[in-house]
Structures are given as structure tokens and as C-alpha cells.
Amino acid sequence: MEKTRALWGTTLVLLAAAAMHLWHITSVPAGLHYDEAFHGVQAQSVLGGNLRLYFTENQGNEPAIIYLTAVAVRLLGSHTWSGRLAASLAGLVTIALLVPAGRRSAPDSNTRAATGLLGAVCLTGLQWHLNVSRFGSQPVLAALAAAGTLWGWRAGMQSGRTRHFAAAGLFCALGLYSYGAARVLPLALLGAAAAHVVLRAHPARAARGLLRSAAVCAIAYAPLAVWFGLHPGWFTNRLLQVYAARSVPASFARMLGGLLWRGDRNWVFNLPGRPALDGLQVLLFAAALGSSVWQLLPRKSTAAARTNSATLWIFLLCGLLPAALAPDAPHFGRAAGALPALALLLALGALALWRWLAAAAGPRVALLVPVMCVASLPFTAQSYFQQWGANHNLYMAFGAGDLQLAQRIKLLDAEVYVSPQPQDHPTLRYVLGSAVARVHSYNSAACDLWPANGAAFTFASALGDGGVEPPFIRGLFPGGMAASPIMRGDFPYIVFWQVPAGSAASLPEWQPVERQIGDFAQLRGFQIVQPVAATPVLQPGTELIVDLYWLALAPSAQPATVFVHLLRSDTSPPQLLAGTDQPPCRNHVPTTQWHAADMLRDRIVLPLPAVLPAGTYELSAGMYTSASGERLPVSGGESALSTRALRLQNITVP
């Protein structure tokens, strides 16, 4: 009978958890976060045969979430919600694991079933866990790995069986394959074993169990460990970027404070500032802390009960440690490994409160504790879906505009010139697939880009918050027409200008050059924008602004840099007085991504020195290979200053 009730209770909890984890999974949160899109792109590459142990893109990523996303994409297709569904299912598995983990962490045999159920209920009621579970990225797997490691260790310490310790080792290895923040799991196992030794609760079994878990974890982790041994820089890459040892005490205090009064301010993981625990959960946490302190008093509990409690606190603190090592604590994503231990501590707090109320006011009053735990689930759902999920700030936090842009481009047949989103943005690559080749990226704040072959095309310009549409777009092709914009609330966020085939560009007058540089670029002409004069006269301390008009012949094999130099030619060798070297469009249109027949207007600004001797100067331009600095050859002609640069114009300084 008791087993039947426990089974029904577990089923009901998992059904409630499934409802919260899967409700509107295709639309909440709106958009597709950069990291989710990145995992989707890498999942597509895995399905294409690109199998790897570690993914070095996006500053380095462990492989587990990518392979999990690949399974979802293989079964469901490349939907925006495929990775999120996989993450949500991982979150549900974590909740299910807390039932046996809670049973193994119960203070006595009479409360095993209650502890398991309450642990699952408490984890379901944590909005923190709901946020990471509905986000298709690594943190949810850190929580899953921590739950499995905790269950395997507690089961092994109670049974002494090798299979349980092996399970702890396998889940620990899963964490190491999942997320850099999960590297604290071996430390948690070591701390749990140390607690058994210090508290004299089966110390020999703990030592043997630790060795078995460590051996299994090491064997499972060996392939990735060997890879890191061959590429040691990637093992520490993210650590060196994120963590700061000097800030650990203050960050740890902020992380603990994030549980109780001031939570993560990142919209991805939290309603900014909302503590991880609500009012009821704070009460349960305080009860768990009080109960743990009470157990430390002489003759108040057994050594086994004390080690149960100590193990949970060790797993909690180790799970919080990755966030405490970074100056931006509290960071709920990096601390996701603390969630299982936190939920089980809340369950122990609920049991302690239940017992205290039963002793003080009777068992009927004490039933309010589990009833309140279950009743809190609708409040968590309301906070997630209505307060957080419907908030307009998620539009930017989850890249909803980028997703809408990709979906709009997918509907268009023509080439699309997009500013300022790069062509290799993960959202564009994931949604468009091979059609991303139709995207020509640039940044209208630095340059302009359009086709020179008369084909039909569309401009797409993201205005951002309060942005202004670049006037050059409509002035360049006045015969085009505006398409319906992508709106953010009441304001246009991305505007479109569709240009029919055969339209000629309306360009300002330039001075023709028509010389080829290298085998991929032709400098068609230039225009001196400032100073504005038929015969420019330079003034010291001002700026010389030049527009270069490039015709792309093909993408280059290596990145190239454009240079524009102002030389005093009456000295030997010519003296460089001002110059600017930069990739085209300030690297928003690298030459390796050029499309044949594209025209690029690249604005170059040369700051002039405060002292500029009078005389005649030569303005020259060209390109060189960015890596080596070797200048690219220029086709011959009268305008050639040499075979490696072009003389554009003589300029006078009075």
C-alpha cells in the first residue's frame, strides 16, 4: 500500500512538473537565444558527420548539450524549440532523480518516501530550475549530473554496492562533458567522503566508494581529458575569461544572498533581482539550516543522519562555487549544479517543520507544510509565465528580433543585405541553413553594401531601440519600396526596402580609379567627403574623410586590410603624416566573406596631426594581407604609385 501511494505521488508530481516544463515550450520564452542557436548550428554539423569531443567555437563548449540537441533535431527537425524541448526533458529527468536521491537522504527510514516526494516537489517549485530547464543550454545538464551524482553516492554509502558508486562516477563524468561549471562535482564527492571520515560514519566504505567513483569517472572522462591534454589552452580558456580569484569572498556572499534577498539580474535566468527562494522556500531553508545545526549537538542525532545533512550542504556549496568565482555573482546559470542539493535541503526543512508543528499543534496542523509545498507550484508557474515570460525585456534577452529577421529572410526569394547582424550569426545559420548564403552582412554605421549586377534584392536594417533608418538606403535606390517592418511593441525594430530587378544605383559623383587589387577586389573610385571642396585644403587637427568604392570580384583566401595614407611626397622616402588601416567596413564585411558583384562604399577617417607642414601631399590607398602585412599587387596604370599602392589625389596644405 505504501509503495502504491508513493508511486501515485511520484506520478502526480512528475505530471505537474511536465505541465510546467512543456507548456508553451514553442513560444515561451519568445525568440532564440544566441547560445541556443549556436548549439543548434553545431547539432546540425554533428548530424552532418562533424563529430567532436569539444567545440572550440563560441569561446569553447563541452559537447553533451550539443549532442542532446542533435538528437532532438534529428527526431523533430530544426525548429526553434527543438533544443529547448530536449533541455526541458533533461529537467524532468532531474526532478525524477530527486525521488530516489531524496529517499537516500532521508533522516530515517520512516520518512524516506516523504523526503523523496518533497524533494521532487521543491525542485519543481523552484523557478530557478524552471528557467534553466526551458533554456536549451548547458546549465540544465549540470543540475542533472549533480542530481545523479548525489543519488549514486548516497545509494552507495547505504548499500555499499559498487554499481551505485559507479553510477555516481558516470553522472560525475556527464557533468564534466556538459558544462565547465560542473567541474566542481569531483570536489563535491571528495567533500562528501571527507564528511564520512570526519563524522566517523562508515569511513572505510566512503574511502572505497570514492576510489570506485573516481575510477569510473576517470575512465569515462578519459577521451575528453586526453583532448584537453593535447590542447591545454582550451581547458582554462573559459576559466580565465570568467573567473577572478580576488572577488571570491564578495562574490560568494552575493551568491548566498542571491538565494535569499537579491537574485541574478540576468533576464535569461531570472526576473532581475528576484531571489532564488520565495517566502515559503526561505522558511524551509531556515528550517533545514536549524535542523542541521541541531544535529551537530551532542546526542541529538546519529552519525549517519549528520553525514546525510552534511553531504547536501557540501553539494550545495560546491554547486554555488562556480558562480562565486566570478565577479558577476549571483549567476544562476553557473550555479545550476546547486539546485538538486538545494531542493533536498528544502525537503528536509519541510520535514523538520512538519515534525515541530506536529509536536506543538498536532498532526493535522502539520499537514499544512506539504500542502503549502504543493500549493506553491501554481505561484511558481504564475511568476514564470506571467511576470517573467510575458515581460518585454525578453525580446532582447532572447534575440527575438534576430529570429524574426531569419524567419522573414526565409520567406524571401531574393538576396538580402542585412545591417548590422553578421552573416554567421547562429540564429541566421540555424534557421536558414544553406539559404544563409543569400545573406550579405554589413554595418550601415561604417559602410554601405549593395549588388552591382541589377538583380532584385532587399535591404534589412535593424534600428534597435530608438534607432534611425540609414538615409543612404532609400537614396541609393529611390525606385524601391518599403515592406512591412518587424515591430517591437509600437516601434519598428527592423525595416525593409525592396529593390526590383534592373534598378540602377543613384550614386554621388566619385573620382574613377578602376584598378584591380589582388585577385578579389577592384577599386572603382573614391570621393573626398571632408573637407568639402573641389580642391580639398587640409587644416591641422581636423579629419580627412574618404569614401572608397569597391567592387567585389570574389572572396579572398585570407583576410585583407585596407589602408589609406597621406604622404608628403617631397621627402625621400615619402613621409607618412596621417593614415588609417582597417578591414573593410571596420571588419563588418571581411574580404573572406565577399560576394562577387557586390559594391561596397567604405568610409575611411584619417585624423590629421596638430602640426601639418605646408606643402603638397599624396593620398594613396591599397590593401595588404592582414596576417603577414604584405601589400597586394595593384594593376598598372598612370594612377599607380607603385605596384603595391594607388595614388588617389594630390592635396594641398596651405
Side-chain angles (χ1 to χ4, degrees):
M1 187 66 178
E2 182 179 348
K3 289 184 178 180
T4 302
R5 286 199 300 266
L7 179 61
W8 274 107
T10 301
T11 301
L12 291 174
V13 171
L14 291 178
L15 286 175
M20 294 171 65
H21 281 67
L22 302 178
W23 178 257
H24 285 306
I25 192 66
T26 61
S27 57
V28 179
L32 185 65
H33 190 272
Y34 186 98
D35 288 346
E36 293 178 305
F38 168 78
H39 298 321
V41 170
Q42 298 306 319
Q44 291 171 334
S45 74
V46 165
L47 294 175
N50 183 19
L51 306 179
R52 287 186 279 170
L53 283 169
Y54 190 80
F55 294 80
T56 55
E57 298 84 355
N58 197 24
Q59 303 178 40
N61 287 262
E62 282 76 11
I65 189 65
I66 292 172
Y67 283 95
L68 179 62
T69 304
V71 173
V73 170
R74 180 68 179 86
L75 295 175
L76 304 170
S78 295
H79 301 291
T80 57
W81 46 267
S82 298
R84 287 183 186 171
L85 179 60
S88 292
L89 294 177
L92 289 174
V93 172
T94 306
I95 293 172
L97 272 173
L98 244 64
V99 175
R103 293 173 65 89
R104 297 290 186 172
S105 302
D108 54 61
S109 59
N110 295 326
T111 57
R112 293 183 66 185
T115 306
L117 280 178
L118 284 172
V121 169
C122 288
L123 186 58
T124 303
L126 282 169
Q127 185 174 334
W128 178 6
H129 184 253
L130 189 58
N131 275 94
V132 299
S133 295
R134 293 175 63 102
F135 175 50
S137 194
Q138 302 105 316
V140 67
L141 293 185
L144 171 59
T149 304
L150 184 56
W151 162 73
W153 175 258
R154 290 301 313 143
M157 285 307 303
Q158 290 184 6
S159 68
R161 294 177 179 174
T162 299
R163 67 183 186 186
H164 289 138
F165 289 120
L170 286 174
F171 276 107
C172 184
L174 171 63
L176 299 179
Y177 276 98
S178 300
Y179 194 23
R183 293 176 186 174
V184 296
L185 281 178
L187 179 63
L189 280 176
L190 180 61
H196 279 271
V197 173
V198 171
L199 297 174
R200 299 179 181 178
H202 302 293
R205 180 181 293 179
R208 290 193 300 269
L210 179 63
L211 290 176
R212 293 168 185 171
S213 296
V216 171
C217 180
I219 293 171
Y221 185 58
L224 185 54
V226 170
W227 190 93
F228 278 133
L230 297 174
H231 310 86
W234 285 107
F235 184 79
T236 58
N237 179 60
R238 187 63 71 94
L239 293 172
L240 296 177
Q241 290 179 356
V242 173
Y243 299 133
R246 294 181 180 178
S247 65
V248 169
S251 295
F252 209 100
R254 287 197 300 272
M255 191 62 239
L256 290 175
L259 299 179
L260 305 174
W261 60 81
R262 189 176 182 83
D264 194 346
R265 301 192 64 81
N266 186 346
W267 278 100
V268 173
F269 297 112
N270 194 34
L271 190 67
R274 180 190 187 276
L277 305 179
D278 60 27
L280 173 62
Q281 291 162 349
V282 169
L283 177 62
L284 299 182
F285 187 79
L289 181 60
S291 176
S292 298
V293 173
W294 178 262
Q295 289 176 353
L296 294 177
L297 298 177
R299 300 180 182 178
K300 295 300 181 182
S301 66
T302 64
R306 288 195 293 270
T307 53
N308 282 353
S309 178
T311 297
L312 294 179
W313 286 105
I314 289 168
F315 268 77
L316 173 67
L317 294 176
C318 287
L320 297 177
L321 184 60
L325 291 175
D328 58 348
H331 191 294
F332 286 176
R334 296 192 192 106
L339 279 164
L342 177 61
L344 290 178
L345 284 170
L346 296 179
L348 294 184
L351 284 174
L353 195 59
W354 189 351
R355 286 177 168 176
W356 293 339
L357 283 177
R364 291 187 177 180
V365 175
L367 284 175
L368 287 174
V369 175
V371 169
M372 290 173 63
C373 289
V374 174
S376 70
L377 299 185
F379 292 99
T380 299
Q382 186 272 339
S383 176
Y384 178 87
F385 289 102
Q386 295 185 14
Q387 295 184 35
W388 181 82
N391 194 288
H392 67 91
N393 286 289
L394 295 192
Y395 188 92
M396 296 299 293
F398 280 87
D402 295 327
L403 176 59
Q404 291 173 313
L405 173 62
Q407 292 169 334
R408 177 73 69 87
I409 292 173
K410 195 171 185 178
L411 299 175
L412 299 173
D413 293 329
E415 304 288 293
V416 183
Y417 289 73
V418 177
S419 170
Q421 287 85 348
Q423 180 189 26
D424 58 358
H425 191 289
T427 299
L428 298 182
R429 293 172 61 195
Y430 179 65
V431 174
L432 296 176
S434 60
V436 77
R438 294 192 287 107
V439 175
H440 305 241
S441 298
Y442 71 106
N443 190 326
S444 60
C447 66
D448 291 288
L449 189 70
W450 67 92
N453 57 9
F457 68 98
T458 298
F459 279 120
S461 182
L463 308 184
D465 291 324
V468 178
E469 181 181 353
F472 189 77
I473 291 178
R474 299 192 182 213
L476 185 62
F477 290 95
M481 61 179 295
S484 59
I486 292 173
M487 305 294 290
R488 183 188 177 195
D490 297 330
F491 301 96
Y493 185 72
I494 301 177
V495 296
F496 298 87
W497 188 251
Q498 294 180 327
V499 179
S503 299
S506 177
L507 292 169
E509 291 187 9
W510 68 38
Q511 299 186 51
V513 176
E514 305 295 349
R515 292 291 179 264
Q516 183 171 328
I517 298 180
D519 58 358
F520 60 88
Q522 181 183 11
L523 183 59
R524 297 207 58 194
F526 72 97
Q527 178 190 16
I528 295 180
V529 180
Q530 180 180 313
V532 181
T535 304
V537 177
L538 303 183
Q539 298 295 331
T542 61
E543 292 179 337
L544 172 62
I545 302 178
V546 182
D547 282 348
L548 301 180
Y549 289 84
W550 297 98
L551 174 64
L553 305 178
S556 64
Q558 300 180 56
T561 298
V562 175
F563 67 86
V564 178
H565 292 167
L566 186 65
L567 302 168
R568 186 171 182 179
S569 57
D570 57 359
T571 62
S572 183
Q575 181 184 0
L576 176 65
L577 293 182
T580 295
D581 295 35
Q582 64 185 36
C585 196
R586 301 177 198 165
N587 208 33
H588 292 286
V589 190
T591 57
T592 52
Q593 296 180 12
W594 279 16
H595 295 250
D598 273 358
M599 280 288 295
L600 171 68
R601 184 183 75 157
D602 194 11
R603 177 153 292 182
I604 309 293
V605 179
L606 283 74
L608 299 178
V611 177
L612 201 60
T616 300
Y617 295 80
E618 289 181 349
L619 186 65
S620 67
M623 282 187 178
Y624 58 83
T625 302
S626 302
S628 66
E630 180 182 0
R631 290 192 177 185
L632 299 176
V634 177
S635 61
E638 293 182 359
S639 64
L641 180 66
S642 70
T643 59
R644 303 288 173 173
L646 284 166
R647 178 189 294 116
L648 300 181
Q649 183 172 333
N650 289 335
I651 301 178
T652 301
V653 175

